Amino acid sequence: MSDVLQDLNQLDKMGRQYEAGFETDIEMDYAPKGLNEDIIRLISEKKGEPEWMLDWRLAAYRHWLTMPEPDWAKINHPPIDYQDSYYYAAPKSMNKPKSLDEVDPKILEAYAKLGIPLREQEVLAGVEGAPRVAVDAVFDSVSVATTFKETLKEAGVIFCSMSEAIREHPELVKKYLGSVVPPRDNKHACLNSAVFTDGSFVYIPKGVKCPMELSTYFRMNATNTGQFERTLIIADEGSYVSYLEGCTAPMRDENQLHAAVVELIVHDDAEIRYSTVQNWYPGDEEGQGGVYNFVTKRALCDGVRSKVSWTQVETGSAITWKYPSCILKGDYSVGEFYSVAITNGRQQADTGTKMLHLGKHTKSRIISKGIAAGRSDGMYRGIVKIMPKAEGARNYTQCDSMLIGDQCGAHTVPYIECRNKTAKLEHEATTSKISEDQLFYCRQRGLSEEEAVALIVNGFCREVLQKLPMEFAVEAQKLVGISLEGSVG
Amino acid sequence: MIKIKNLSASIDDKPILKGIDLSIGKGEVHAIMGPNGSGKSTLSYVLAGRDDYEVTGGSATFNGADLLAMEPEERVTAGLFLAFQYPVEIPGVQMSTFLKEAMNSIRRRKGEEELDALSFLKKMKTAAKNLGISDEMIKRSVNTGCSGGEKKRNEALQMAMLEPSFAILDETDSGLDIDALKIVADGVNALRSPERSFLVITHYQRLLDYIVPDYVHVLAHGRIVKSGGPDLAKELEAKGYAEFMQAEEAA
């Protein structure tokens, strides 16, 4: 074995760089530690919610107490002590600020450090010709700002925090909340239904093409606090929206729980593109700390010719448990899943998708790229289910894994269930390693070993990264390199 | 410029190079010829710094610096380039991206400013045109879906862009038809200058009709067994390597 490969084993020489690992020191308003009905009442009250919302939360909580933890994923962690966490944490200054001028400058600074501009004029003053992005910034349990609300309002688009939507648009929230991911779906989703704090709400009216990209930036800052955001996006007939989601957290020694729920509803001829760059703190090289990222994301392609495209770049979190899925109910509806999942150090990722074909001539496409380095484990887990009425349904699945070093694992578990004879399904899978030849060739052209690995892996993921909106693609490419730092000699 | 003294190297404990002595001056073109298995490619890999080869003795200096102590990318930064016999495929990475990343990495190491996108593109387009490389080829992933000839042209393109002071061409003629050979040779000749040295490794004399060397060396069984002028190559073409192979067996 060559020196390079031997060096690959000595992973821990270099700590990996986690640029978003800083902490913002501000006074916080916490709910008491632990979880019980009073805490839920407190959250609901803090948010000024109506009675029906509180009842919904309490019903979810009571059911949650009876539910077992999902145990089918290939992940390992000590039992979660749900009483050892805070379920509500908000910056003290965040008592309903009316404008950005009232927001604590330290919070604005934190977002500036992360490269997220919250002042519209700063966005507008950015690179000429660059697409404008509206941002909903969620800091621990509250949304601190939502930009370009007025511009969007003119187009009829509703883009606001979930808390605000519950107050301002109860009819829409009542109709759609939990319609795709019911509270009893799984234990993590059920917990979210009981204690969710904030998140984004989007409604695109009939025939409207959203005039700008929408994005939510989630930041976990407070210690020992779980983040439970809830996102609900509704695309009415013939509408279109592209939505981006980014996440980071400070470096902490204890594990933090993040259990989010995302629901998408797509009506006739509408389309939602949902992109995620997930960079929660992954823990240190020995597996100390890091975020448990237990997320339920699901889209209902309700209408004829409706379309959903999930694109995710998963580089962070100690554990990722996440399967963005599509229920293809409308005839001719289309579901897509493009995923890059990178694990390093002691990270574990169990991620994939579910494509449920109900309608006629429904189509799905799955492209998954898993990269494992260090002593990490990466798993693609997916289900493609063709139901009896899904005449002429089609699926194409491609799962590629790349291993760096010889102490990591890549696994692929693709389930296929086909109950209609006219369906066509294709599945391709590959597993590869970065070869000595490739590394040497790159270094002979002047690239360092780490630069070479980042470049080769970016090439491996290109098909997926290309699906991201421009401004995310650049960030994602850099992230690929950063998350693999320390994976070679 | 390059001074190699009594250089020995092995792979998996098997000795391949058994004491190479070679000096290459500024602006000189040296050719190394030899039968298969004589250690030609090993010499090029050892000079470029591939890990799997273990240097067991001797020394090599590049402009006075200890070449063997440098990482491969440091050797490139110092001005060394190796055109591969078998260029490697890197799926998903466009040639232009690859080259730009590589050149900027070298510049950073030298403490120079990175190339801006426009001047890089200009430079690449000119270099590509001279080598008959189409825009479509540049957009392809590095060496992916390329014929043998196209790969060798890509090597010549990279050499033209990186502007090394010392270039090693490892069997650049293998897998090339005569037209492609001429294009690549023209590309190399265009780079010949009093400041730039070449080590051309080849099995056949044919390449040396196009890239005319100043010196020719014969490598057999890990040693340079004969050196001479361009005529030596012609002699070898007529007589073959049998003489040198026997010499080793007798010894």
Side-chain angles (χ1 to χ4, degrees):
Chain A
M1 195 168 69
S2 74
D3 289 348
V4 172
L5 276 183
Q6 275 168 2
D7 284 352
L8 284 174
N9 304 336
Q10 304 168 3
L11 226 199
D12 306 332
K13 274 201 252 166
M14 261 182 73
R16 56 184 289 188
Q17 191 186 347
Y18 185 70
E19 287 181 344
F22 64 87
E23 182 178 347
T24 306
D25 182 22
I26 41 173
E27 252 189 291
M28 297 294 286
D29 180 12
Y30 287 99
K33 211 177 204 179
L35 183 57
N36 54 54
E37 294 200 4
D38 287 340
I39 294 289
I40 292 165
R41 286 195 177 90
L42 182 75
I43 293 171
S44 192
E45 192 196 312
K46 287 255 178 211
K47 301 205 162 277
E49 288 177 355
E51 192 73 20
W52 60 265
M53 197 65 248
L54 176 62
D55 292 344
W56 199 80
R57 288 176 178 276
L58 289 172
Y61 174 70
R62 285 165 198 148
H63 187 75
W64 176 77
L65 292 170
T66 69
M67 285 183 93
E69 300 257 349
D71 61 353
W72 38 264
K74 191 182 181 312
I75 55 174
N76 279 306
H77 59 83
I80 297 166
D81 182 357
Y82 290 98
Q83 297 305 334
D84 192 35
S85 204
Y86 291 100
Y87 287 82
Y88 182 86
K92 266 205 171 136
S93 57
M94 281 310 297
N95 216 346
K96 294 192 184 102
K98 284 184 187 68
S99 77
L100 272 183
D101 300 331
E102 291 174 34
V103 174
D104 191 321
K106 281 183 186 161
I107 295 175
L108 296 180
E109 194 189 308
Y111 281 95
K113 238 168 149 174
L114 294 165
I116 318 292
L118 292 185
R119 293 182 186 277
E120 292 177 15
Q121 60 270 35
E122 285 168 16
V123 179
L124 294 167
V127 187
E128 212 178 317
R132 290 180 301 166
V133 181
V135 181
D136 182 24
V138 177
F139 196 85
D140 290 323
S141 303
V142 286
S143 164
V144 292
T146 309
T147 62
F148 290 108
K149 264 163 110 169
E150 288 308 310
T151 317
L152 291 166
K153 207 172 167 186
E154 282 165 30
V157 172
I158 304 171
F159 179 43
C160 62
S161 72
M162 198 62 181
S163 310
E164 189 182 329
I166 292 167
R167 292 191 301 266
E168 309 288 328
H169 309 281
E171 67 299 336
L172 287 170
V173 176
K174 253 188 188 169
K175 183 171 172 193
Y176 291 110
L177 190 71
S179 67
V180 188
V181 180
R184 299 180 174 203
D185 192 81
N186 64 70
K187 186 156 184 122
H188 305 313
C190 194
L191 177 63
N192 175 285
S193 303
V195 302
F196 74 86
T197 41
D198 228 328
S200 301
F201 176 84
V202 178
Y203 174 77
I204 316 287
K206 275 185 196 176
V208 171
K209 186 177 184 299
C210 189
M212 58 177 73
E213 309 256 359
L214 305 183
S215 81
T216 303
Y217 199 91
F218 297 103
R219 177 74 180 168
M220 259 192 230
N221 187 63
T223 341
N224 256 327
T225 303
Q227 184 153 8
F228 305 93
E229 83 264 0
R230 186 109 196 170
T231 298
L232 178 58
I233 303 177
I234 302 133
D236 218 326
E237 279 174 38
S239 67
Y240 168 87
V241 64
S242 167
Y243 178 89
L244 331 168
E245 175 196 70
C247 354
T248 56
M251 297 160 81
R252 299 197 184 283
D253 287 342
E254 77 274 10
N255 295 108
Q256 279 178 290
L257 180 61
H258 170 251
V261 172
V262 174
E263 295 176 279
L264 312 183
I265 294 108
V266 200
H267 292 291
D268 290 358
D269 297 299
E271 178 177 353
I272 298 178
R273 286 180 61 185
Y274 193 105
S275 311
T276 304
V277 174
Q278 185 264 109
N279 186 24
W280 295 119
Y281 177 54
D284 68 12
E285 311 89 81
E286 292 305 318
Q288 177 84 7
V291 171
Y292 290 167
N293 188 34
F294 299 152
V295 173
T296 307
K297 290 184 169 178
R298 197 174 298 154
L300 174 63
C301 284
D302 200 34
V304 184
R305 292 172 300 273
S306 54
K307 183 177 174 183
V308 161
S309 188
W310 296 103
T311 305
Q312 62 172 22
V313 176
E314 303 282 317
T315 63
S317 298
I319 302 176
T320 294
W321 180 98
K322 178 180 169 188
Y323 317 88
S325 305
C326 298
I327 301 168
L328 302 170
K329 189 176 162 208
D331 293 346
Y332 297 94
S333 59
V334 178
E336 293 176 335
F337 175 72
Y338 298 97
S339 170
V340 168
I342 300 178
T343 51
N344 196 359
R346 298 276 189 149
Q347 282 177 276
Q348 310 171 53
D350 195 298
T351 184
T353 185
K354 288 184 272 183
M355 294 290 176
L356 179 63
H357 292 253
L358 297 170
K360 294 186 182 68
H361 304 287
T362 45
K363 271 204 288 196
S364 61
R365 183 177 170 84
I366 298 167
I367 309 284
S368 162
K369 307 276 181 180
I371 300 102
R375 283 178 282 180
S376 69
D377 246 315
M379 158 76 86
Y380 168 82
R381 187 188 301 278
I383 307 177
V384 176
K385 220 177 201 176
I386 313 282
M387 300 308 276
K389 284 181 182 163
E391 285 290 318
R394 296 199 60 171
N395 163 263
Y396 174 79
T397 301
Q398 185 188 328
C399 298
D400 299 323
S401 311
M402 183 179 263
L403 297 161
I404 300 176
D406 58 6
Q407 294 191 33
C408 53
H411 317 269
T412 304
V413 182
Y415 296 92
I416 290 176
E417 194 183 319
C418 185
R419 293 164 67 186
N420 186 305
K421 281 189 292 192
T422 63
K424 276 188 198 163
L425 295 103
E426 286 173 80
H427 182 91
E428 288 180 34
T430 64
T431 303
S432 56
K433 291 189 104 174
I434 293 182
S435 73
E436 285 289 311
D437 285 342
Q438 286 176 322
L439 276 181
F440 179 62
Y441 189 72
C442 292
R443 293 179 78 187
Q444 212 303 303
R445 296 302 185 249
L447 295 163
S448 71
E449 206 162 7
E450 296 213 330
E451 288 167 339
V453 168
L455 193 72
I456 294 166
V457 172
N458 263 307
F460 175 73
C461 304
R462 185 162 175 227
E463 216 181 330
V464 172
L465 297 179
Q466 276 178 331
K467 295 285 170 189
L468 289 170
M470 261 296 271
E471 58 271 24
F472 253 32
V474 177
E475 189 193 333
Q477 276 174 20
K478 279 193 207 139
L479 203 51
V480 166
I482 289 169
S483 38
L484 286 169
E485 261 169 30
S487 69
V488 284
Chain B
M1 174 169 255
I2 294 278
K3 285 200 173 67
I4 301 167
K5 279 190 191 145
N6 198 24
L7 182 65
S8 303
S10 60
I11 184 164
D12 296 334
D13 295 328
K14 193 182 156 212
I16 309 283
L17 302 182
K18 300 166 188 167
I20 302 265
D21 287 293
L22 181 65
S23 278
I24 302 173
K26 246 187 189 177
E28 292 175 359
V29 176
H30 289 239
I32 290 200
M33 302 184 68
N36 290 328
S38 59
K40 298 192 302 285
S41 286
T42 299
L43 178 61
S44 66
Y45 281 144
V46 168
L47 293 178
R50 189 161 179 153
D51 288 326
D52 348 22
Y53 295 85
E54 195 195 344
V55 175
T56 50
S59 67
T61 59
F62 184 21
N63 292 327
D66 182 359
L67 187 68
L68 303 177
M70 296 184 212
E71 293 293 327
E73 59 270 29
E74 291 166 353
R75 301 181 197 204
V76 180
T77 310
L80 183 145
F81 180 88
L82 168 64
F84 282 60
Q85 181 179 3
Y86 302 109
V88 180
E89 295 184 6
I90 308 175
V93 180
Q94 285 186 354
M95 178 56 83
S96 51
T97 310
F98 180 65
L99 258 175
K100 197 168 159 221
E101 292 284 321
M103 290 171 78
N104 280 334
S105 187
I106 294 170
R107 282 170 165 261
R108 282 196 297 273
R109 212 169 288 121
K110 283 184 176 168
E112 293 172 4
E113 247 183 67
E114 297 191 13
L115 276 173
D116 66 284
L118 203 68
S119 40
F120 168 79
L121 266 178
K122 255 187 173 167
K123 194 175 161 140
M124 191 179 63
K125 286 216 157 157
T126 316
K129 207 177 156 199
N130 291 339
L131 288 161
I133 294 174
S134 66
D135 287 356
E136 182 274 324
M137 252 176 83
I138 283 173
K139 280 186 189 140
R140 280 186 219 161
S141 298
V142 177
N143 295 320
T144 310
C146 294
S147 68
E150 287 173 334
K151 285 181 186 176
K152 294 297 170 73
R153 268 191 269 172
N154 277 339
E155 294 293 287
L157 170 70
Q158 294 178 62
M159 182 162 67
M161 293 294 284
L162 292 175
E163 299 176 322
S165 56
F166 174 52
I168 307 166
L169 311 183
D170 187 8
E171 306 222 11
T172 291
D173 48 340
S174 69
L176 286 189
D177 60 35
I178 196 74
D179 294 326
L181 183 68
K182 276 184 195 162
I183 293 171
V184 171
D186 286 347
V188 172
N189 287 329
L191 291 175
R192 281 178 82 154
S193 85
E195 299 300 312
R196 188 170 285 139
S197 314
F198 287 90
L199 182 60
V200 182
I201 294 173
T202 182
H203 187 83
Y204 300 104
Q205 193 263 336
R206 189 178 67 158
L207 177 67
L208 304 182
D209 284 341
Y210 298 99
I211 304 172
V212 180
D214 302 307
Y215 302 93
V216 175
H217 311 275
V218 180
L219 186 68
H221 299 292
R223 288 193 189 93
I224 288 178
V225 292
K226 193 167 184 178
S227 297
D231 291 346
L232 179 56
K234 300 229 160 58
E235 197 183 310
L236 284 169
E237 186 75 358
K239 290 199 208 158
Y241 294 108
E243 180 192 337
F244 304 108
M245 304 303 284
Q246 280 160 7
E248 174 74 12
E249 276 158 28

